[in-house]
Amino acid sequence: MSSKQPKYEYVSSAKLPTRMGNFKIHGFVEASGQEHVALSYGDWKDNDVVPIRIHSECLTGDSLFSTRCDCGFQLEKAMQNIVDNGCGVLLYLRQEGRGIGLLNKIRAYNLQDSGMDTVEANEHLGFDADLRSYDICKVMLDTLKVSRVELMTNNPKKLAALKGLGIDVVARKPIDHGITEDNKGYIKTKTEKLGHAFDPHAFK
């Protein structure tokens, strides 16, 4: 019998009341020690299509109310959409700054303040434009007994990643992005350089 530690492991669950509704929070850990959580709301049967959102951690947007990105807006919108639907799952992955970490994200912000876009800044620091992995999503969804999903995203890479993991993505549902004067350039770069699906008229 192998004593090798599983790459991803479920830890525990608990009630999580929020101002949008009463969720449950489920903890997961990687062999590296990195921790992630899933929020679930409502109930579903084995073969139901469940609306889900994969959300990468953004301390500045999610917790500090920054408007230079659309992350906090999308997190709140996804949770409200799940409650309005009656059920759903939010996968919250600890992948700050598209995987480069919080302090490197601040360094990238500094470069953006000097005129670079978000992709140029990451690459100037020696990183790929996007270092995120979605492999743990399979373990999270299997634990919650979700096999067929409607994915709330504007990012086609998330769609391809889930399909590559064997998850039945029945539909992609766009999620509002909350364009402001502060984040318009950031969202435009995500559209033009990272393939995100936004209405081009929104930038005019």
Side-chain angles (χ1 to χ4, degrees), residues 147-160:
S147 59
R148 305 177 70 226
V149 306
E150 177 187 73
L151 180 62
M152 288 183 277
T153 189
N154 301 317
N155 185 353
K157 290 184 178 178
K158 292 181 181 179
L159 188 74

Side-chain angles (χ1 to χ4, degrees), residues 1 14 42 48 64 75 94 114 118 143 161-162 181 192 197:
M1 182 176 178
D48 285 350
L64 301 179
L75 175 62
R94 307 290 300 282
S114 301
T118 181
T143 300
L162 288 191
E181 286 303 314
E192 294 177 347

Side-chain angles (χ1 to χ4, degrees), residues 22-33:
N22 294 323
F23 287 78
K24 290 182 181 178
I25 187 167
H26 313 272
F28 298 82
V29 64
E30 299 184 37
S32 66

Side-chain angles (χ1 to χ4, degrees), residues 83-135:
V83 171
D84 291 345
N85 182 74
C87 73
V89 173
L90 176 88
L91 306 181
Y92 194 89
L93 307 186
R94 307 290 300 282
Q95 303 188 118
E96 185 78 45
R98 292 197 211 101
I100 69 174
L102 177 60
L103 298 186
N104 280 322
K105 184 173 84 169
I106 295 172
R107 292 186 179 101
Y109 277 174
N110 177 263
L111 293 171
Q112 291 169 45
D113 290 343
S114 301
M116 292 187 185
D117 65 35
T118 181
V119 171
E120 292 167 345
N122 277 24
E123 292 176 343
H124 183 82
L125 291 171
F127 301 107
D128 290 340
D130 194 338
L131 292 173
R132 291 175 293 181
S133 168
Y134 302 105
D135 290 354

